[in-house]
Amino acid sequence: MVRKRVPDWLNSSLWSTTPSDDRFQRYSPSPTTATAAVSEPAVQPPVPVPPPAAASRPQSSPTPKSEIRDPVNDNSDNNSNDNDQNGSSSDVSPEDISRQAQLLVELSKKVVNMRELRRIASQGIPDGEGIRSTVWKLLLGYLPPDRGQWSSELTKKRSQYKHFKEELLMNPSEITRRLEKSTGCDNDESKSESRGPLSRSQISHGEHPLSLGKSSIWNQFFQDSEIIEQIDRDVKRTHPDMHFFSGDSQLAKSNQDALRNILIVFAKLNPGIRYVQGMNEILAPLFYVFRNDPDEEMAAAAEADTFFCFVELLSGFRDHFCQQLDNSNVGIRSTITKLSQLLKEHDEELWRHLEVTTKVNPQFYAFRWITLLLTQEFNFADSLHIWDTLLSDPEGPLETLLRVCCAMLILVRRRLLAGDFTSNLKLLQNYPSANISHLLYVANKLRTQGSG
């Protein structure tokens, strides 16, 4: 069999990192302070052409900047009210300024050009002005391209989520009481004790807390308790070094409650998969971006907006969370196989060394990469940048995700080719810090190489 020749561009020193024993620190305080493990590329991603003029953000009226931010590049020693660090002009490049202006121009149009919006957003969405919040909602289909429909769509969706919460987060006693009231069975006693426990005479045999009937709301309530306890544990472990998600502050507790509500409602509306560990990590970036919208009205509705965007995002990956589908052609193992094939196509030498010589099964590292959308491999700010690119793919984020994962392997190919099973597995399970723009550039290069 003729061995496939490695393309010359893969042998460039640009795709390798300098060996280092420094363990990658997840959620490092600032992406600018992280040690770059990848040499700077000779060719940078294309710089967008500046627009004719910057437009104001498409909101009905300007509102004061929200005071809830916990900057993505804030460390555990900083106060969560240091808002100015998020999108600080000192770290903004001319390319970011140009891209921000282009996005504002697109968002100011009566009908947003989604193709152009995806092109610009795929290069990264600069922080500030609430741009990422609006763009992500458009990319996920939560907002229609026609700005004239935004107000009615948001009102409808937020009302629908409020209804979901009222129906699905209610105590069974309250459900029974409402059912009785709806059938005209309420009396003066029930009205005077509307917030207290039901009397024994008010509880039917089928709705007794000890009932094991399949239709019993109490039986369902106790079945849900185990999942709710798991959600509670995972929510409290979400980004423990970010004041926005963790701690005893009112902000952190409020945000945890919102994550908890979303995950419980999702689990009850999707009995096929319910809740699976790791969903909280996918939910967190969405809620963070929407809750930090400088428009206070938008920030206040972040929970409802996040729910629907979470549903839409997970629709492309939900089969990865269904254990019964693990071995099917839509399950997680099939997706990992696609990653392996992609690496073999673009760098057979590296693929052979990993999977044949050192016998590193891609499931050992790629399972987490794929199921959690790379949220655990990079600091939070870099994860948001990667998501800008993932969400901008018109065919859905999965194919772009696989190319990014393949690029991650190529960027450390020299270290992998020099390593054995143990060192390679340790490297891939604790991926080194990287220049994210360069990583995405390589991933896009794989797209053009594949199509060519």
Side-chain angles (χ1 to χ4, degrees):
M1 179 179 69
V2 179
R3 188 171 180 180
K4 189 173 181 179
R5 181 177 178 271
V6 178
D8 292 336
W9 67 277
L10 284 179
N11 288 321
S12 169
S13 60
L14 300 178
W15 315 138
S16 64
T17 59
T18 303
S20 171
D21 293 329
D22 293 338
R23 180 186 174 103
F24 174 65
Q25 298 297 319
R26 187 176 302 159
Y27 317 127
S28 59
S30 170
T32 60
T33 60
T35 301
V38 184
S39 302
E40 287 296 325
V43 181
Q44 293 294 338
V47 178
V49 178
S56 59
R57 184 166 184 251
Q59 293 295 336
S60 56
S61 60
T63 55
K65 197 171 186 177
S66 175
E67 295 294 330
I68 64 165
R69 290 177 184 269
D70 181 18
V72 292
N73 44 354
D74 178 26
N75 61 32
S76 58
D77 296 328
N78 290 343
N79 187 287
S80 61
N81 291 326
D82 295 335
N83 298 340
D84 293 339
Q85 295 179 27
N86 195 20
S88 173
S89 59
S90 61
D91 294 330
V92 177
S93 67
E95 290 82 4
D96 286 341
I97 295 175
S98 171
R99 199 177 307 121
Q100 179 177 351
Q102 291 182 73
L103 287 169
L104 286 172
V105 168
E106 287 302 322
L107 294 176
S108 68
K109 294 178 178 178
K110 183 177 180 181
V111 178
V112 178
N113 183 333
M114 291 303 299
R115 182 175 180 178
E116 183 66 10
L117 186 73
R118 292 182 187 278
R119 184 192 68 79
I120 303 170
S122 66
Q123 301 173 48
I125 303 172
D127 290 324
E129 302 292 335
I131 296 177
R132 180 176 274 127
S133 173
T134 304
V135 171
W136 278 17
K137 289 170 185 174
L138 283 161
L139 295 177
L140 287 166
Y142 182 59
L143 287 177
D146 187 345
R147 292 180 62 230
Q149 300 177 13
W150 286 8
S151 178
S152 60
E153 284 295 317
L154 290 174
T155 299
K156 181 177 68 175
K157 291 292 187 181
R158 291 166 182 173
S159 175
Q160 187 178 1
Y161 180 71
K162 181 181 178 181
H163 175 74
F164 286 154
K165 288 179 65 177
E166 290 174 349
E167 293 297 318
L168 300 175
L169 302 182
M170 196 182 302
N171 184 285
S173 292
E174 186 65 24
I175 295 177
T176 300
R177 181 179 291 109
R178 289 197 177 191
L179 288 173
E180 290 180 346
K181 286 184 178 181
S182 67
T183 55
C185 295
D186 55 314
N187 50 41
D188 293 338
E189 181 181 356
S190 66
K191 290 179 181 179
S192 64
E193 298 178 324
S194 60
R195 303 304 299 176
L198 293 171
S199 65
R200 179 174 296 183
S201 62
Q202 290 177 292
I203 303 175
S204 64
H205 175 73
E207 296 308 333
H208 192 280
L210 299 181
S211 172
L212 297 178
K214 291 183 178 180
S215 61
S216 168
I217 57 175
W218 277 103
N219 185 31
Q220 186 62 50
F221 175 79
F222 290 124
Q223 288 181 11
D224 292 339
S225 296
E226 183 177 350
I227 292 178
I228 293 174
E229 289 174 3
Q230 181 64 61
I231 290 174
D232 282 335
R233 288 194 295 268
D234 290 350
V235 165
K236 291 176 181 177
R237 291 195 290 252
T238 302
H239 297 295
D241 54 355
M242 290 181 64
H243 298 301
F244 181 86
F245 292 108
S246 182
D248 297 326
S249 67
Q250 183 178 356
L251 167 68
K253 291 180 178 179
S254 172
N255 293 337
Q256 288 180 0
D257 287 343
L259 296 181
R260 180 181 182 272
N261 291 340
I262 293 170
L263 292 170
I264 293 175
V265 170
F266 178 85
K268 291 190 174 186
L269 290 176
N270 295 270
I273 56 175
R274 310 201 78 182
Y275 172 77
V276 179
Q277 278 188 287
M279 288 183 177
N280 59 305
E281 301 293 351
I282 298 177
L283 179 64
L286 292 171
F287 182 74
Y288 176 88
V289 169
F290 298 160
R291 187 70 180 93
N292 275 312
D293 194 310
D295 184 298
E296 291 187 348
E297 181 181 351
M298 302 296 281
E303 182 179 328
D305 296 346
T306 301
F307 170 78
F308 287 102
C309 288
F310 176 70
V311 171
E312 180 60 31
L313 176 61
L314 216 61
S315 66
F317 297 96
R318 59 181 294 155
D319 293 337
H320 293 165
F321 291 94
C322 187
Q323 190 173 3
Q324 293 85 346
L325 297 175
D326 278 355
N327 295 315
S328 70
N329 59 359
V330 295
I332 183 61
R333 289 198 178 105
S334 175
T335 302
I336 292 175
T337 299
K338 291 179 182 178
L339 172 60
S340 175
Q341 293 170 344
L342 189 64
L343 178 62
K344 184 178 181 181
E345 175 187 347
H346 291 285
D347 192 344
E348 186 171 349
E349 180 185 9
L350 179 56
W351 169 84
R352 188 175 301 280
H353 182 75
L354 280 177
E355 299 193 26
V356 179
T357 305
T358 61
K359 299 188 184 304
V360 176
N361 189 321
Q363 291 187 31
F364 296 159
Y365 59 88
F367 184 89
R368 186 178 71 184
W369 290 9
I370 294 171
T371 56
L372 301 186
L373 307 187
L374 299 175
T375 56
Q376 303 298 288
E377 315 314 316
F378 304 97
N379 66 48
F380 196 80
D382 286 345
S383 295
L384 297 184
H385 187 176
I386 292 172
W387 276 37
D388 292 338
T389 300
L390 297 182
L391 300 182
S392 298
D393 193 326
E395 298 178 0
L398 182 56
E399 295 304 317
T400 298
L401 175 64
L402 292 180
R403 283 190 292 272
V404 173
C405 291
C406 187
M408 289 168 65
L409 295 169
I410 291 173
L411 286 177
V412 293
R413 73 185 305 269
R414 287 191 176 181
R415 295 175 63 178
L416 291 172
L417 289 173
D420 57 12
F421 173 86
T422 302
S423 62
N424 285 346
L425 187 60
K426 182 179 180 181
L427 175 64
L428 296 176
Q429 289 184 341
N430 300 276
Y431 195 80
S433 56
N435 182 318
I436 299 302
S437 294
H438 180 37
L439 171 64
L440 297 175
Y441 175 75
V442 175
N444 188 59
K445 184 77 172 178
L446 297 179
R447 179 202 296 267
T448 58
Q449 289 286 325
S451 61

